[in-house]
Amino acid sequence: MSPVLELRNLTKTFATKRAFGRKGAEVRAVNKVSLVIEKGQIYGLAGESGSGKSTIARMIMGLTGPTSGDILINGTSILGRAASLEHRQKVQMVFQNPGASLNPRRTVGQSIAVPLVAHHYAGNRAARIGALLEMVQLPAHFADRYPHELSGGQKQRVAIARALAVNPSLLVLDEPTSALDVSVQAKVIDLLEGLVAELGLTFLFISHDLSLMRNFAQTVGILYLGEIVETGPVGPVFANPQHDYTRLLIASVPVISAEEEALRPHIPLINGEIPTAEALLALREGTQPKETLK
Ligand code: ADP
Ligand code: MG
């Protein structure tokens, strides 16, 4: 059986701005990237900001064409047919910012109906929308709500439901939880994990967050300046990284995330007691409290 996704030497260069008619330099955003994702797999593509992750996602979606190389979905090259309805049925994407990816003027139900209408869904549309909401653990009556009535996590669940509406072979998730609070992040990841198991989905999971990758993906590819410098099953890559850049990335994974760190109280507690309001004010202003901490 063909893999769900295969990238062969995928390359994308961007021309930088030309000045006074001179030819600008080229930015090689993605350089000879090859990878294979089998059905049911979660492949994690990790790399810092600017390493080329979103450019790869955009090429797989057919939003931009590669400079060279090939993209195969279920064994068939998408080049020249990336804009087709058939391609859009096979590959769906969930973006980082759920607020921006939902139309504020459409109800949740109307947003989920868009792909159903485009792909001529033959069944009962309302029932399908209800079932999709249930799949992402939202009540069916959320179909009547507008995006501004939903939390960030709920919006991302709607975006996932919309992406699943046409039964895609591959879901490309580009930093799907980076805009969410840590606690919400964990719940959305749990949901995605459940969906893979339940529906036999295949994910290309893109993230700069290696601790998330370690828990969620099965295979990982480390992207550095547009090239995959290391790839393999998550366990061995994390336990025994071969490339210097991977070691550096893993070494910089904090024990707790930056968000958690920000939530920690930075007030020195004395004998574990809560300081008085006065002491707190003095602390903030850098003066000595009039009254010592009780
Ligand atoms: P990531 O998603 O990993 O942060 P991107 O794929 O967005 O990285 O960007 C990779 C590189 O390509 C960056 O250097 C970025 O500036 C450049 N790039 C991305 N899109 C364009 C574009 N449309 N025109 C010019 N350069 C681009
Ligand atoms: Mg990106």
Side-chain angles (χ1 to χ4, degrees), residues 57-66 70-71 73 76-92 119:
R58 291 173 56 78
M59 286 191 279
I60 295 167
M61 292 304 297
L63 298 171
T64 185
D70 205 354
I71 301 166
I73 305 281
T76 306
S77 172
I78 68 160
L79 298 188
R81 63 182 98 195
S84 69
L85 200 62
E86 192 196 356
H87 178 253
R88 279 187 280 144
Q89 186 272 314
K90 285 183 182 159
V91 189
Q92 285 283 314
H119 294 265

Side-chain angles (χ1 to χ4, degrees), residues 58-209:
R58 291 173 56 78
M59 286 191 279
I60 295 167
M61 292 304 297
L63 298 171
T64 185
T67 306
S68 61
D70 205 354
I71 301 166
L72 293 90
I73 305 281
N74 299 326
T76 306
S77 172
I78 68 160
L79 298 188
R81 63 182 98 195
S84 69
L85 200 62
E86 192 196 356
H87 178 253
R88 279 187 280 144
Q89 186 272 314
K90 285 183 182 159
V91 189
Q92 285 283 314
M93 185 155 168
V94 175
F95 296 89
Q96 175 172 356
N97 189 336
S101 68
L102 293 177
N103 186 332
R105 291 171 205 270
R106 283 198 185 120
T107 63
V108 163
Q110 286 165 343
S111 273
I112 298 175
V114 170
L116 294 177
V117 173
H119 294 265
H120 314 294
Y121 180 73
N124 181 325
R125 221 181 284 159
R128 175 72 178 150
I129 291 167
L132 284 161
L133 287 171
E134 202 173 298
M135 246 182 238
V136 296
Q137 294 160 12
L138 289 176
H141 67 80
F142 266 47
D144 298 327
R145 297 213 176 164
Y146 284 90
H148 76 263
E149 298 173 285
L150 307 181
S151 70
Q154 289 169 340
K155 276 186 236 177
Q156 201 57 306
R157 285 169 194 269
V158 172
I160 294 166
R162 184 181 54 182
L164 295 178
V166 293
N167 293 319
S169 308
L170 176 73
L171 205 56
V172 178
L173 302 136
D174 190 359
E175 308 259 12
T177 62
S178 350
L180 306 174
D181 292 339
V182 175
S183 59
V184 181
Q185 223 176 57
K187 286 186 192 134
V188 172
I189 291 294
D190 277 353
L191 168 71
L192 289 171
E193 250 170 354
L195 289 172
V196 167
E198 237 173 83
L199 306 174
L201 294 171
T202 306
F203 286 172
L204 173 60
F205 179 74
I206 296 174
S207 180
H208 67 279
D209 184 339

